[in-house]
Amino acid sequence: MENKRYNIELEVVTPLCVGAGGENDWVKGADYVEKDGKVYVIDLKWFYDEIGKDGIDKLSQAYATSNMDGILSLIGNKLESVSRYIFDSPETSENPIKTFLRTQLYNRPLIAGTSLKGAIRSALFKEFRPEGPKDRDSKENEKAFGGIQDNLMKFLQVGDIEMAETTLVNTKVFSLIGSGDSWDGGWKDTLNGKNLRTYNPQGFNTLYECVYPGETGLGTITYAVNAATSKVSEKQRLQQGGIEELFRIINQRTREYLDKEKKFFEQYPANRSEEIIDCIDMLSEELDNMMSDNKSCLLKMSAGVGFHSITGDWQCKDYTNTGFYGEKHRHAGKKKYKSRKIAEYDRKLYLMGFVALHLLPDEKAKECRSSLDKEHIARLQEAAEAEARRKAEAEAKQRAKQQQRMRQAKFDALFQEAKDLNVDGHLDEAIAKLNEALALLPNDVDALKLLAEVKKRQENQASIKKLEEAAAKRLSGSLADVFEGKSIGALGTLIATTQKWLKANPEVSIGDAEYEAIKKVVTNFPKNEKRNIKKNSKKLIEFLGQDRADELVGTF
């Protein structure tokens, strides 16, 4: 497969807006303000820096009510310093301003290659659309450019084109007034559908950020000239004919479109519609010059492209006879496809979105490219470096997130082990696991709390153990030593103390020495306790045996 790269110059012929999407529209009283015939698009960061913290609450209130006067009052004489863009205001409008697509890094107006390729695709559609099906949703139409593997558009690559600057353009909707067979041209003036025969620049008008006529930009089209996408002769002719054949087909489609569009405005005249016809004549004259060698082509694209162009212009042979909506449609009884987006620029009315693509010879292209100044080259280099930095930062953040997830998973496992060990009474191991967990997440509240609880429990157990060891040490001597210093005044206490001593010294029993120690303690019992033992000597007998018990009681 041979790829042929063509250098092209894009020239804006009528006001062009490649939309940045509704979410990027500028809303009056929020994104922009108007003053003295100017539109000031506010940069909020600069705005905050200028008004300080004290002004933010007032600013929020002004934004909440779209109070443009309140915002202007807050800005004061700093309006220009806080504005990202400043435009001449062609008209006032209550609708948001439709913004132009821009490069992310430098905010330069951008004609995306995908937008340009989409317009080319629409222009080619009718050429390759299968004959027969009339349903615009027909699956046959989807096969116009081939299947997934051999789709013709797959072998056509269109590069992005940067433009220099933009302006604001007012737009109105040209529509039809009437019913049945009686229709006249008019201008949409209200949201509910009211149309007027007289042109009013305001009233259901919308401002568009546009590249204005005469501006140019440099781009490329890469063409797979020998790609075997189909045996259909038309497609082979397009591929083998190169860029001139592509331009020829586009010019043919544009010629058909302009002829039908002119008849539409001639049949349905309205106030100032003659200016639109003048625009069509101007475009037709330029097209005639282009069609002589097809080194250039005229193409309609982007905002205001209209139903016929965006669908490939195959459904209506005559724009004046487009049929009517059926009874079940919300526009029942009205003519189909009767509206046009019209731009007013330099006090004249234009169809929107016409661009000329000019094939540049190699030498001319080389001259144009070499004319790019150092600032532009530096900007591209900086953009690449910034993208590399952004990518590196994104990868670093991704790695950090992954590491954080891994730390969290390991922490959770250690924390659960620590809780289980704590329940089982393995406090040293629980503390070790908690320290490992906190090395991963030092500020985890639950782990810190549990660690404190386990350490407290450990301290309590150590105190208990220390007391038990001291008690065991006291019980390790003779029974007489155990009794020494103790105040034992009752038989129950005597028996309990003796049993503890026996338990601590399982290898010994009560012998003569032990009996003498017991006898000494009992002898010193209070009289009432001695009387109680005499009355009920059963416990003493169980403890010492009958003989020794009798002997001991006999000493009282």
Side-chain angles (χ1 to χ4, degrees):
M1 183 189 303
E2 179 185 351
N3 290 330
K4 176 68 175 177
R5 183 183 182 188
Y6 297 94
N7 298 293
I8 61 168
E9 181 184 59
L10 183 144
E11 177 188 1
V12 177
V13 182
T14 65
L16 171 70
C17 177
V18 179
E23 68 277 10
N24 294 306
D25 289 351
W26 294 326
V27 178
K28 183 189 290 187
D31 300 297
Y32 76 93
V33 294
E34 296 174 334
K35 184 178 180 181
D36 299 333
K38 299 281 188 181
V39 169
Y40 296 87
V41 182
I42 305 301
D43 188 300
L44 291 180
K45 183 180 182 303
W46 299 345
F47 196 177
Y48 292 152
D49 291 342
E50 290 288 348
I51 66 176
K53 293 182 179 180
D54 294 338
I56 291 178
D57 290 340
K58 294 180 181 179
L59 175 64
S60 299
Q61 294 174 8
Y63 272 171
T65 57
S66 294
N67 183 354
M68 190 166 68
D69 291 337
I71 296 172
L72 285 171
S73 177
L74 282 170
I75 296 174
N77 61 359
K78 299 177 181 178
L79 185 56
E80 290 192 8
S81 65
V82 300
S83 296
R84 183 185 304 171
Y85 312 113
I86 302 174
F87 299 101
D88 290 328
S89 178
E91 288 293 340
T92 61
S93 174
E94 298 308 311
N95 294 322
I97 295 175
K98 301 296 183 181
T99 59
F100 204 101
L101 182 66
R102 290 178 174 270
T103 59
Q104 291 186 356
L105 194 58
Y106 292 103
N107 268 335
R108 288 175 63 85
L110 179 70
I111 299 175
T114 52
S115 297
L116 188 54
K117 184 176 179 178
I120 293 172
R121 185 181 187 279
S122 295
L124 295 177
F125 178 75
K126 188 176 180 180
E127 183 82 4
F128 301 116
R129 175 184 167 271
E131 292 294 332
K134 298 299 181 184
D135 181 2
R136 68 181 180 184
D137 294 325
S138 170
K139 292 183 178 180
E140 290 299 317
N141 287 339
E142 298 176 6
K143 303 176 182 178
F145 297 103
I148 295 176
Q149 298 298 325
D150 66 342
N151 191 292
L152 179 65
M153 301 308 295
K154 177 181 176 182
F155 303 101
L156 183 68
Q157 302 299 323
V158 183
D160 295 341
I161 300 176
E162 288 189 16
M163 306 300 289
E165 57 182 319
T166 57
T167 187
L168 294 186
V169 171
N170 189 38
T171 68
K172 292 284 291 184
V173 175
F174 183 94
S175 192
L176 299 183
I177 305 171
S179 62
D181 295 329
S182 178
W183 294 87
D184 293 311
W187 297 96
K188 192 172 181 65
D189 197 62
T190 60
L191 184 61
N192 62 12
K194 182 181 178 181
N195 295 335
L196 302 177
R197 287 182 172 82
T198 302
Y199 179 88
N200 175 16
Q202 300 180 5
F204 203 73
N205 63 312
T206 302
L207 302 186
Y208 278 77
E209 184 190 10
C210 293
V211 174
Y212 46 81
E215 283 294 294
T216 60
L218 192 64
T220 60
I221 293 179
T222 302
Y223 205 79
V225 294
N226 295 322
T229 63
S230 174
K231 295 182 179 179
V232 179
S233 59
E234 289 84 355
K235 292 182 182 180
Q236 289 181 329
R237 185 178 67 248
L238 172 61
Q239 291 176 306
Q240 295 170 5
I243 197 76
E244 289 88 351
E245 179 62 15
L246 175 66
F247 284 1
R248 184 195 69 79
I249 296 174
I250 293 173
N251 284 333
Q252 183 60 40
R253 296 285 78 77
T254 304
R255 164 60 66 208
E256 295 171 3
Y257 172 83
L258 290 175
D259 289 347
K260 289 185 284 187
E261 196 75 334
K262 183 176 181 178
K263 289 180 181 178
F264 173 83
F265 284 102
E266 287 176 339
Q267 181 158 330
Y268 303 113
N271 177 229
R272 295 191 67 178
S273 62
E274 68 276 3
E275 296 177 35
I276 305 173
I277 295 174
D278 289 343
C279 171
I280 295 173
D281 288 340
M282 177 271 293
L283 292 170
S284 295
E285 184 176 349
E286 289 203 21
L287 183 60
D288 288 339
N289 294 329
M290 293 177 184
M291 295 181 75
S292 62
D293 60 5
N294 294 312
K295 299 292 186 183
S296 300
C297 71
L298 188 65
L299 181 67
K300 187 172 175 63
M301 63 178 295
S302 296
V305 68
F307 171 81
H308 299 296
S309 291
I310 203 169
T311 57
D313 195 18
W314 63 275
Q315 298 184 61
C316 301
K317 295 181 178 180
D318 181 355
Y319 295 166
T320 64
N321 184 24
T322 54
F324 298 86
Y325 290 105
E327 295 180 358
K328 295 183 179 180
H329 198 278
R330 64 189 182 95
H331 296 309
K334 294 184 178 180
K335 288 180 72 69
K336 291 182 176 181
Y337 325 130
K338 61 184 179 66
S339 299
R340 309 288 193 274
K341 182 78 71 173
I342 305 298
E344 183 172 17
Y345 172 72
D346 197 20
R347 299 184 181 181
K348 295 181 181 179
L349 299 185
Y350 291 87
L351 296 176
M352 290 186 71
F354 277 94
V355 298
L357 304 181
H358 304 293
L359 177 62
L360 293 180
D362 291 341
E363 288 302 318
K364 180 66 175 177
K366 184 177 180 181
E367 179 183 337
C368 289
R369 293 191 183 281
S370 64
S371 68
L372 293 174
D373 55 28
K374 293 181 180 180
E375 179 184 352
H376 182 61
I377 295 174
R379 187 167 62 247
L380 294 177
Q381 291 174 339
E382 186 177 344
E385 291 170 0
E387 177 62 18
R389 287 194 301 271
R390 184 204 64 77
K391 186 176 181 181
E393 289 172 0
E395 291 175 351
K397 287 180 180 179
Q398 186 62 31
R399 286 195 300 270
K401 287 181 179 179
Q402 180 64 24
Q403 290 171 355
Q404 177 62 23
R405 285 194 292 267
M406 293 173 64
R407 280 197 299 271
Q408 185 66 54
K410 189 173 181 180
F411 171 88
D412 291 342
L414 289 168
F415 187 53
Q416 185 60 51
E417 285 185 67
K419 289 194 291 184
D420 293 341
L421 289 167
N422 181 45
V423 171
D424 295 338
H426 304 299
L427 304 187
D428 289 340
E429 295 177 47
I431 290 174
K433 294 295 183 183
L434 285 171
N435 285 329
E436 285 187 61
L438 286 167
L440 298 170
L441 298 178
N443 299 318
D444 187 84
V445 175
D446 292 334
L448 290 170
K449 182 179 179 181
L450 182 58
L451 180 62
E453 292 174 357
V454 175
K455 285 185 175 181
K456 184 65 175 177
R457 185 180 175 190
Q458 188 183 51
E459 289 173 3
N460 291 339
Q461 287 190 354
S463 297
I464 293 171
K465 185 177 180 181
K466 190 174 182 180
L467 292 173
E468 290 176 345
E469 289 175 349
K473 185 177 181 180
R474 288 196 302 271
L475 294 171
S476 64
S478 65
L479 186 58
D481 292 337
V482 173
F483 289 157
E484 185 71 28
K486 280 186 172 291
S487 178
I488 302 176
L491 182 60
T493 305
L494 174 65
I495 293 172
T497 302
T498 304
Q499 287 176 337
K500 286 182 179 179
W501 178 80
L502 290 170
K503 185 177 181 181
N505 301 277
E507 72 282 358
V508 300
S509 60
I510 296 177
D512 292 339
E514 287 72 29
Y515 171 70
E516 289 299 325
I518 292 170
K519 181 178 178 181
K520 183 178 179 181
V521 173
V522 173
T523 303
N524 293 321
F525 275 177
K527 290 181 179 181
N528 61 335
E529 182 64 20
K530 290 178 179 179
R531 287 194 295 268
N532 289 335
I533 293 174
K534 285 183 177 182
K535 293 178 181 179
N536 186 11
S537 60
K538 185 178 180 180
K539 289 185 179 180
L540 191 59
I541 293 170
E542 291 176 356
F543 182 54
L544 296 175
Q546 185 69 51
D547 294 340
R548 283 180 174 172
D550 291 343
E551 180 184 347
L552 186 60
V553 171
T555 63
F556 296 163

